[in-house]
Every structure is written in structure tokens, then in C-alpha cells.
């Protein structure tokens, strides 16, 4: 009664969930002035609030010459069709994320290879931007992540030409160091990458040839150390199993998805031994995300507008739940930090929000035990 942030509409929607309805549609978020005709290139949740998401937008075929090619909009799920913050970029934005250690900073990777930094306390334009030089990116950047701790963290970016740059967010003039990732003498084209939680040196990336590779950032072995051909087409997403309750029981598990219509589950302890292949999808897979609080659930999206939830704790062969966006492809999606919301960005510039039922974000003890048993087998 005295909680002025309580969302009564959302509460009613939660109560109205049917027993078999794992995701309840809540709202769509679009703004004709900024998002009309622009494909969403990335969606990321805030680590500080479950109601805050950002979306990055590419270039539209119908924009005028006075408009910027890219936008990053910060959306509050309690606000309808009006973004809370608007940031512009002259080149199209390929990826964007919140700085997990500073709620005021937003980082973007662009089509021209620039890394840009916005501050929500400042204006719409970037407060910092990388320069074109022989040591920085020259090609589109689709991979970016902040690694480290509160007191010592860096930005790692990787472009489609295989150049990895490590940056200090205090100064984006030049990278701290640069590594050109190669498989033998051949440069790789990286389409996605993922760090285990807490990891600052080793990461795994997917290429446009369907290869999952392991690479190191520091030391004498910096660069690609192992690679495995696991898909028959470009890998569109990779995602490590999160640390749930701060335990690393299954932190070695990684999901990959590809345009070959399949999603694969494997352990980096034995990457040659694929644990399971989910191959009953009907189109290109565009994204895959583990649930942040339920160890057995993940979501996979496809270019025919479908999102499928799979629950490895119940039946590994059958989908747990499925929902569809009509006549539009889903490009990216993200769970909120508490796992109660799922938001997806499509090719037409619209964000769609669902609320998850309690059996999705509140796993029972037997769900966890069943998942442990299945992974053990």
C-alpha cells in the first residue's frame, strides 16, 4: 500500500497467468521518431534494475541525410512508447551494453569500428569515442564486454576481422593492447563471444565458419589456443551458464546457436564431446540465452519470429514453451537481471516484453536436482 514503486498492472498480469503459460505478453516498445524501420542490433538488461533495458539500432533505408545512422535507447518497462534516454551515433550501432560497474555509462560498438561511450548525465552525443588508427578497429564491432572487478575492470572488444582490443574506460583514445586473432595464418571472422563469470583472461568465440574457439588475452599464449568445428554455418550467439547462488557447478556449460537451424550444448572441459544438439527448429537461430536464476532453462530465438523456452530439468527433447511474433524476425533478446522478464528486439525496431511465470524464475529443489542428474549423464 505504501510502496510507490509497486506495479499493480504487472501484479494482475502475474496473477492471470494460465498454468501452462510460461511467458505472459506485457507490452511493446517503439518510438516512430527514432526506431521506425531500424533493425534492433542488440538488447541488454541493466544489472541495477529489472525494469531497465537498452536497445541499439542500425541504419534504416528510409532515413534522411540529417539523421544519424545509429541510436541507443534506454527503455523503462513502466513507460509506454517513450524511451527514458536517447543517445545518438553517427555510424550505425552494432552492439551496446551497460557498464556493469557504473550505472551512468553505456558502451557501444559501431559499424565503422569506433567504440563510443555515453553518459546518461550528459547529452545525447558520446562523451568519448575512439580514434581511427593502426591500433584500433577498422571493421564492424559486434562483440564487447566489461571484465574485471569494481576496482579494476577493462573493456574488451572484438571486430569481424579478428582484432581484439583491450581498453581503459577512462581513456578511449588508444587501446591498452591489441591482439589479432588467427587460426594458423588465416584471420578469423568473429561473430560472437562469451566470458565465464569472473573470468578475465580466457574467452570463447564463434566464427562465420561455424567454429567455436578458445582464446587468451594475456601471457605468452595470447591468441587462439583451441578451435572446434561444431556448426555448419555462422555462429550467431554463445552464452555461458551463469553463476546461480554464486556456485560454479555448471559454469563450464556453454550454449551456441547458428544459422544451420541448431543449438548445441557443450562443456568447455571436453568441447569435442557435444552434450546435446537441439535441431528441431524451423529457421535460422539468432540468439540463445540461459535463464539467470533457473539452472535448466534457456531461451532461443529464430528469424521466423519464434522464441522457444527449453527446460533441461524436465524434458530435453520437447520445448517447455513457445511464443511467436507475427511477420517479423527476432534479432536479439535478454532476460532481466531477476529473470522475471524477457524482452526481444526485432528487425523492425520493436521491443516486445513478456513476464515469466513463477515456475520459470523460482526453480524448485527437484528442478535443480533433475538438471544436475541430466547433465551428469
Amino acid at each position: 500500500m505504501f510502496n510507490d514503486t509497486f506495479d499493480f498492472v504487472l501484479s494482475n498480469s502475474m496473477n492471470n497467468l494460465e498454468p501452462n503459460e510460461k511467458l505472459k505478453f506485457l507490452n511493446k516498445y517503439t518510438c516512430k521518431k527514432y526506431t521506425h524501420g531500424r533493425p534492433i542490433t542488440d538488447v541488454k538488461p541493466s544489472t541495477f534494475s529489472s525494469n531497465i533495458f537498452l536497445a541499439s539500432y542500425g541504419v534504416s533505408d528510409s532515413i534522411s541525410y540529417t539523421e544519424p545512422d545509429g541510436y541507443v535507447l534506454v527503455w523503462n518497462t513502466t513507460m509506454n512508447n517513450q524511451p527514458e534516454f536517447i543517445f545518438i551515433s553517427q555510424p550505425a550501432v552494432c552492439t551496446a551494453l551497460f557498464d556493469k560497474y557504473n550505472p551512468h555509462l553505456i558502451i557501444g560498438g559501431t559499424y565503422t569500428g569506433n567504440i563510443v561511450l555515453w553518459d546518461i548525465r550528459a547529452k545525447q552525443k558520446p562523451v568519448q569515442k575512439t580514434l581511427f588508427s593502426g591500433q584500433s578497429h577498422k571493421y564492424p564491432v559486434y562483440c564487447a564486454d566489461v571484465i574485471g572487478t569494481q576496482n579494476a575492470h577493462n573493456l574488451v572488444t572484438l571486430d569481424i576481422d579478428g582484432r581484439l582490443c583491450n581498453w581503459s574506460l577512462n581513456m578511449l583514445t588508444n587501446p591498452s593492447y591489441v591482439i589479432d586473432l588467427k587460426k594458423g595464418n588465416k584471420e578469423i571472422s568473429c561473430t560472437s563471444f562469451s566470458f565465464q563469470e569472473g573470468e578475465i583472461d580466457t574467452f570463447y568465440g564463434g566464427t562465420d565458419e561455424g567454429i567455436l574457439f578458445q582464446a587468451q588475452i594475456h601471457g605468452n599464449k595470447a591468441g587462439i589456443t583451441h578451435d572446434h568445428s561444431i556448426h555448419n554455418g555462422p555462429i550467431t550467439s554463445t552464452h555461458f551458464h551463469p553463476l546461480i547462488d554464486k556456485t560454479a557447478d555448471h559454469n563450464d556449460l556453454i550454449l551456441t546457436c547458428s544459422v544451420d537451424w541448431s543449438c548445441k550444448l557443450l562443456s568447455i572441459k571436453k568441447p569435442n564431446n557435444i552434450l546435446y544438439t537441439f535441431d528441431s527448429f524451423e529457421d535460422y537461430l539468432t540468439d540463445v540465452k540461459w535463464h539467470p536464476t533457473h539452472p535448466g532453462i534457456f531461451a532461443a530465438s529464430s528469424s521466423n519470429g519464434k522464441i522457444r523456452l527449453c527446460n533441461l530439468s524436465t524434458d530435453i527433447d520437447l520445448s517447455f514453451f513457445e511464443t511467436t511474433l507475427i511477420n517479423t524476425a527476432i534479432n536479439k533478446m535478454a532476460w532481466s537481471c531477476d529473470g522475471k522478464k524477457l524482452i526481444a528486439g526485432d528487425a523492425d525496431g520493436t521491443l516486445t516484453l513478456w513476464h515469466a511465470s513463477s515456475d520459470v524464475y523460482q526453480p524448485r529443489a527437484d528442478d535443480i536436482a533433475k538438471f544436475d542428474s541430466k547433465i551428469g549423464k
Side-chain angles (χ1 to χ4, degrees):
M1 177 175 173
F2 297 103
N3 183 358
D4 58 353
T5 63
F6 188 79
D7 193 333
F8 290 96
V9 175
L10 182 58
S11 178
N12 290 335
S13 298
M14 292 164 56
N15 294 333
N16 292 334
L17 277 171
E18 296 180 6
N20 63 342
E21 195 169 19
K22 308 305 180 184
L23 295 177
K24 175 73 173 181
F25 169 78
L26 286 183
N27 206 352
K28 289 183 179 288
Y29 300 89
T30 184
C31 182
K32 186 174 182 179
K33 180 178 179 181
Y34 302 107
T35 68
H36 183 65
R38 293 178 180 270
I40 292 177
T41 56
D42 207 354
V43 179
K44 293 288 174 57
S46 167
T47 56
F48 297 93
S49 171
S50 61
N51 290 325
I52 304 296
F53 292 84
L54 67 73
S56 59
Y57 299 80
V59 65
S60 169
D61 294 335
S62 60
I63 65 171
S64 68
Y65 70 93
T66 59
E67 291 184 76
D69 283 352
Y71 282 104
V72 171
L73 304 184
V74 177
W75 295 91
N76 190 323
T77 58
T78 61
M79 300 169 59
N80 288 334
N81 293 331
Q82 180 61 46
E84 189 163 4
F85 298 101
I86 301 161
F87 302 105
I88 63 174
S89 169
Q90 289 307 316
V93 183
C94 300
T95 186
L97 68 156
F98 291 99
D99 181 350
K100 65 181 73 172
Y101 301 110
N102 188 334
H104 301 114
L105 299 182
I106 294 173
I107 302 153
T110 68
Y111 190 77
T112 56
N114 294 105
I115 307 300
V116 292
L117 185 70
W118 296 278
D119 192 323
I120 64 174
R121 298 163 295 186
K123 297 181 179 179
Q124 295 181 342
K125 293 183 179 181
V127 294
Q128 286 195 70
K129 184 171 67 172
T130 59
L131 304 175
F132 287 111
S133 70
Q135 291 298 305
S136 59
H137 296 296
K138 300 177 183 177
Y139 296 90
V141 176
Y142 288 94
C143 305
D145 201 0
V146 176
I147 61 172
T149 64
Q150 175 71 50
N151 298 323
H153 54 272
N154 297 310
L155 171 67
V156 176
T157 58
L158 183 57
D159 65 28
I160 61 171
D161 196 44
R163 171 160 290 187
L164 182 144
C165 295
N166 191 298
W167 310 85
S168 169
L169 291 174
N170 295 323
M171 186 181 65
L172 290 179
T173 307
N174 289 299
S176 304
Y177 53 89
V178 175
I179 303 171
D180 288 319
L181 301 178
K182 294 183 178 181
K183 182 186 174 186
N185 295 323
K186 183 181 178 182
E187 295 176 344
I188 61 102
S189 180
C190 187
T191 52
S192 64
F193 76 166
S194 183
F195 285 84
Q196 290 175 286
E197 288 191 43
E199 179 63 56
I200 61 172
D201 182 40
T202 304
F203 69 92
Y204 283 75
T207 75
D208 62 357
E209 295 180 335
I211 294 171
L212 181 72
F213 65 86
Q214 181 198 70
Q216 292 184 354
I217 300 177
H218 309 95
N220 296 329
K221 294 184 178 180
I224 295 177
T225 53
H226 301 286
D227 62 270
H228 310 277
S229 181
I230 63 171
H231 283 285
N232 296 317
I235 295 175
T236 51
S237 182
T238 56
H239 193 216
F240 268 106
H241 197 278
L243 292 177
I244 296 177
D245 296 330
K246 304 303 179 183
T247 61
D249 290 344
H250 302 293
N251 198 30
D252 60 303
L253 298 178
I254 188 171
L255 285 168
T256 65
C257 67
S258 168
V259 301
D260 66 1
W261 299 22
S262 73
C263 172
K264 295 183 185 289
L265 171 68
L266 55 101
S267 169
I268 59 171
K269 294 178 180 178
K270 295 181 178 180
N272 283 325
N273 179 26
I274 296 174
L275 300 180
Y276 199 80
T277 298
F278 305 88
D279 55 3
S280 60
F281 297 94
E282 301 168 352
D283 215 323
Y284 297 168
L285 292 189
T286 56
D287 203 3
V288 62
K289 290 290 189 297
W290 286 106
H291 192 274
T293 61
H294 194 301
I297 290 179
F298 69 88
S301 62
S302 58
S303 58
N304 62 351
K306 290 188 176 181
I307 287 182
R308 179 182 298 181
L309 297 189
C310 297
N311 188 351
L312 307 187
S313 301
T314 55
D315 194 328
I316 201 168
D317 294 313
L318 299 176
S319 63
F320 190 52
F321 182 75
E322 193 171 283
T323 186
T324 305
L325 296 181
I326 304 300
N327 299 325
T328 185
I330 297 173
N331 289 346
K332 290 292 179 180
M333 60 182 178
W335 293 99
S336 61
C337 57
D338 59 4
K340 295 182 179 181
K341 302 182 186 73
L342 178 67
I343 196 160
D346 64 31
D348 296 327
T350 300
L351 289 167
T352 304
L353 177 70
W354 295 270
H355 190 276
S357 63
S358 59
D359 56 346
V360 171
Y361 63 83
Q362 289 181 333
R364 300 186 301 269
D366 60 332
D367 288 332
I368 299 173
K370 289 177 181 177
F371 175 70
D372 292 340
S373 174
K374 279 202 168 101
I375 294 301
K377 291 178 181 178

